[in-house]
Amino acid sequence: MRQLSDAEIVEVLTGNRVGVLALDGGDHPYPLPVSFGYDPDADLFVLQLEGEEDTRKRRCLDRDDTVGFTVYEETEPGRRWRSVVVSGRLVETTYQAAESALATLARSAQSVPNPVTWSDASAVTPFELRIEDWSGRAFDVGGP
């Protein structure tokens, strides 16, 4: 196993669109898969959370906005994988502020809402993950 460089971490974040968001669930962590977009030029990491104000996600964020996010990929099927873990604060934002990162998400995803047609009053809310730390690893499984 080896550590990824910052450039390799950016490559993983810009090459993938789904990861696992880990929230403080109180008695135990609350992980959930979500789509995300990362714009390295703006260092902007955004995701959209669905649901009204009384959802478990919102209650977790009200308790603690510090989150973890994991992205992983198999770069050579059965032989090599890479993973990135990002930590920071998750804060509500606007579609206008999140536009460049959502554009990276929309370019390669099949079921991402078009931010132009979604209003901030909808049940889908954009959030920015303000990155405080990140790390990544690559692992060669080996084989023939």
Side-chain angles (χ1 to χ4, degrees), residues 19-73:
V20 178
L21 175 66
L23 302 171
D24 178 355
D27 294 336
H28 52 81
Y30 179 43
L32 59 149
V34 297
S35 58
F36 73 96
Y38 179 68
D39 177 0
D41 295 331
D43 193 27
L44 182 61
F45 188 112
V46 298
L47 50 94
Q48 298 175 110
L49 294 181
E50 198 171 343
E52 301 299 325
E53 291 293 322
D54 64 345
T55 63
R56 183 174 179 195
K57 290 176 266 193
R58 293 295 187 128
R59 288 191 305 272
C60 289
L61 285 173
D62 287 345
R63 178 177 31 257
D64 186 355
D65 64 359
T66 304
V67 302
F69 196 89
T70 302
V71 180
Y72 58 91
E73 64 183 11

Side-chain angles (χ1 to χ4, degrees), residues 55-119:
T55 63
R56 183 174 179 195
K57 290 176 266 193
R58 293 295 187 128
R59 288 191 305 272
C60 289
L61 285 173
D62 287 345
R63 178 177 31 257
D64 186 355
D65 64 359
T66 304
V67 302
F69 196 89
T70 302
V71 180
Y72 58 91
E73 64 183 11
E74 197 172 21
T75 59
E76 295 176 31
R79 304 217 38 182
R80 176 176 291 153
W81 61 263
R82 299 190 299 182
S83 64
V84 169
V85 175
V86 177
S87 60
R89 289 184 38 243
L90 196 63
V91 296
E92 194 169 328
T93 189
T94 65
Y95 281 108
Q96 183 179 11
E99 185 176 0
S100 67
L102 288 172
T104 65
L105 173 58
R107 280 195 291 274
S108 63
Q110 296 177 2
S111 61
V112 177
N114 178 348
V116 174
T117 61
W118 288 76
S119 74

